[in-house]
Amino acid sequence: MRNLISVLFFFLLSAVGFCQNPNPSSAVDNYILDEMNAENAPGMATLIVKDGEIVWVNAYGLADVGANVPVTDSTVFMLASISKVFTGTALMHLFENGQMDLDEDINNYLPFDIDVPGFESDSITFRQLMTHTASIADGAAMDGYYSNGDPTITLPDVIERYFSTSGADYNANQNFSTDVPGTAYEYSNMGTALAGYMVEAVSGTDFSEYCNTHIFDKLCMNNTSWYLAQFDTNDVARPYQWTGGQYEPYAHYGFADYPDGQLRSNILDLANFLIAVMQDGSFNGQQLLSGASINEMLTAQIPSLDATQGLNWYQEEIYLTGGGTVQVWGHNGGESGVSTDMYINPNNNIGVAVLSNGEGDNLNVIDELYNYALGLFSTGIGNPPCEALSIDEQMLTDQSVTILGRYDILGRPISSDYRGIQLIKYSNGSVIRLVKMYDD
């Protein structure tokens, strides 16, 4: 009979960094390590999902170079512009519920009008905000919205400052383009910040709380938040720049226009989101969005301006090992000390993601992961399990229990002494999952 080690460790399932890679490959590992060296990436977390399950997860390098803290699959990274996909998801949830129309004038919901100078009779619509065609530019005022830690300016305040004609940062020449709304494509961070504020304006709920309730909670994304204050910063990868032949850290930072890039998450939480999108919005019995809404987001919206642009998602080209390319849907992100990529192919149910705390390019790693995924087979175990309930030793001693089975973090039965999950049934009939580490 095996004994538990003297101290039992009970964790939330999604916070444990012991996820065994289902399909390890030294060749893929070596390729990724070479790319990290070439791109000066101190740390990296990587993911492949296929047919509703995690088929690859691995982490490399350091989350904190100075403290020699390794990256694990539970390490939290700033997502940078991948965040825009989640902002768009929140808007689509409002659309699905009939609270607004994608082609409606946003001024119908605002306390002050927002118009493109010279085109006041032309409406800015939700669809334009989600496709970077609202004629909103990223002006110099944005530089003043950064802060150490979380932003000190609220989202409503920054929107008023930037877009209201009486706002402190209003600049007709810098904050807008010279095009009629809907007639030209210009990638816009402030346009997405405004989209996030529109979630508040339409719903009457704080944007971050709306995302918590309608996205993150539904998908068991328990290590995902718009605010740094929600994390133990020891669990968050420190951002780095490569300069003078060494890594120089940035302080953890934020920005008041946060819906365009401040979301933080880990690779396992992103797995749940990617799986949900490829399952017509469904994950473990929870519905994120309808299949029709997912399909709309993954449909080219402005083919005459940019044939790759969906609703916040866009198409990227993957290079195949045997030659040729394939188009996938996703988004990348880049900020100071941050580089991220996340893509799916709904035609074969493959999703790949790379999170890094450096400033290099991840696309070669994305290509390698996607090509490796093509040869992998799913097992049929289903979606990753949601979090385990937190318990303590006293609960074990106070109640009689029945061990129902042991599983690894991905939900596969195990019989070895590998760290894993036990399903415990109490005498009162309740069943819990707990993570334990075993010893002989």
Side-chain angles (χ1 to χ4, degrees):
M1 184 75 176
R2 305 241 176 229
N3 296 319
L4 289 174
I5 58 178
S6 58
V7 179
L8 292 177
F9 294 92
F10 302 102
F11 303 100
L12 294 180
L13 176 60
S14 57
V16 177
F18 298 137
C19 193
Q20 188 179 36
N21 193 346
N23 293 284
S25 166
S26 58
V28 175
D29 288 339
N30 289 334
Y31 182 91
I32 291 173
L33 289 170
D34 286 344
E35 279 297 306
M36 288 176 64
N37 184 62
E39 297 294 333
N40 298 311
M44 185 174 287
T46 62
L47 171 78
I48 304 172
V49 295
K50 189 173 186 178
D51 297 332
E53 58 189 76
I54 296 173
V55 296
W56 165 282
V57 59
N58 214 353
Y60 310 85
L62 298 175
D64 189 316
V65 174
N68 201 37
V69 176
V71 176
T72 74
D73 50 49
S74 62
T75 299
V76 172
F77 291 80
M78 176 179 274
L79 298 186
S81 284
I82 285 179
S83 306
K84 292 178 172 66
V85 171
F86 293 89
T87 299
T89 299
L91 278 178
M92 285 303 288
H93 188 268
L94 290 170
F95 167 69
E96 239 183 43
N97 289 338
Q99 293 177 261
M100 58 79 165
D101 187 83
L102 293 177
D103 297 307
E104 192 175 0
D105 187 340
I106 64 171
N107 284 333
N108 293 341
Y109 302 92
L110 291 172
F112 56 87
D113 284 348
I114 298 178
D115 296 303
V116 178
F119 306 106
E120 287 79 7
S121 61
D122 294 280
S123 299
I124 295 174
T125 68
F126 293 91
R127 193 185 303 271
Q128 290 166 4
L129 293 178
M130 299 170 77
T131 56
H132 304 284
T133 58
S135 296
I136 295 172
D138 291 338
M142 291 179 64
D143 293 341
Y145 300 154
Y146 282 84
S147 60
N148 285 337
D150 286 326
T152 56
I153 309 170
T154 68
L155 182 59
D157 283 348
V158 80
I159 295 302
E160 189 275 334
R161 286 172 57 161
Y162 196 88
F163 290 105
S164 171
T165 54
S166 60
D169 299 325
Y170 184 83
N171 187 309
N173 295 322
Q174 291 189 7
N175 298 2
F176 301 90
S177 73
T178 57
D179 301 295
V180 177
T183 64
Y185 174 91
E186 180 176 349
Y187 188 85
S188 174
N189 287 290
M190 285 305 298
T192 305
L194 176 55
Y197 175 67
M198 294 311 302
V199 173
E200 292 193 7
V202 174
S203 69
T205 301
D206 174 83
F207 170 71
S208 65
E209 286 304 316
Y210 193 92
C211 292
N212 288 341
T213 300
H214 299 289
I215 304 175
F216 309 144
D217 290 350
K218 281 190 174 183
L219 301 183
C220 308
M221 296 178 68
N222 302 302
N223 292 284
T224 302
S225 177
W226 290 101
Y227 292 112
L228 185 64
Q230 299 302 310
F231 299 102
D232 179 342
T233 54
N234 292 319
D235 299 328
V236 180
R238 183 169 292 280
Y240 287 93
Q241 63 174 324
W242 177 258
T243 181
Q246 63 183 4
Y247 292 112
E248 291 290 340
Y250 295 94
H252 289 301
Y253 59 88
F255 32 88
D257 48 303
Y258 74 90
D260 61 39
Q262 191 179 273
L263 192 63
R264 289 178 172 89
S265 187
N266 67 21
I267 205 76
L268 294 177
D269 276 18
L270 285 187
N272 296 355
F273 179 73
L274 295 180
I275 288 170
V277 172
M278 290 188 289
Q279 292 181 163
D280 289 331
S282 176
F283 179 81
N284 276 332
Q286 292 291 315
Q287 197 69 34
L288 173 66
L289 291 173
S290 69
S293 292
I294 295 291
N295 184 65
E296 182 70 16
M297 295 189 81
L298 304 181
T299 297
Q301 299 289 314
I302 49 170
S304 63
L305 302 176
D306 186 336
T308 69
Q309 183 66 53
L311 291 175
N312 288 106
W313 296 76
Y314 65 78
Q315 286 188 298
E316 182 61 75
E317 194 170 60
I318 296 286
Y319 287 87
L320 302 176
T321 300
T325 61
V326 63
Q327 294 291 114
V328 294
W329 286 97
H331 214 293
N332 76 337
E335 265 289 349
S336 298
V338 176
S339 180
T340 61
D341 289 85
M342 178 184 80
Y343 304 99
I344 60 171
N345 185 345
N347 296 322
N348 58 14
N349 292 315
I350 290 174
V352 292
V354 175
L355 305 179
S356 172
N357 56 339
E359 298 177 334
D361 192 319
N362 300 324
L363 280 178
N364 286 341
V365 175
I366 288 289
D367 289 348
E368 180 73 5
L369 291 172
Y370 184 88
N371 280 283
Y372 186 57
L374 292 172
L376 299 180
F377 295 93
S378 55
T379 66
I381 63 171
N383 297 170
C386 287
E387 67 174 10
L389 297 179
S390 178
I391 66 171
D392 57 30
E393 287 184 81
Q394 192 63 37
M395 291 175 67
L396 284 180
T397 59
D398 286 350
Q399 304 187 58
S400 60
V401 299
T402 302
I403 297 175
L404 300 183
R406 290 178 59 194
Y407 303 81
D408 71 10
I409 301 293
L410 300 181
R412 299 165 301 181
I414 58 173
S415 58
S416 68
D417 298 322
Y418 175 72
R419 305 175 182 88
I421 306 163
Q422 277 195 342
L423 289 188
I424 300 291
K425 184 175 183 179
Y426 285 132
S427 55
N428 65 8
S430 62
V431 176
I432 65 159
R433 289 196 287 268
L434 63 122
V435 178
K436 297 182 178 180
M437 300 195 326
Y438 286 81
D439 198 3
D440 290 336

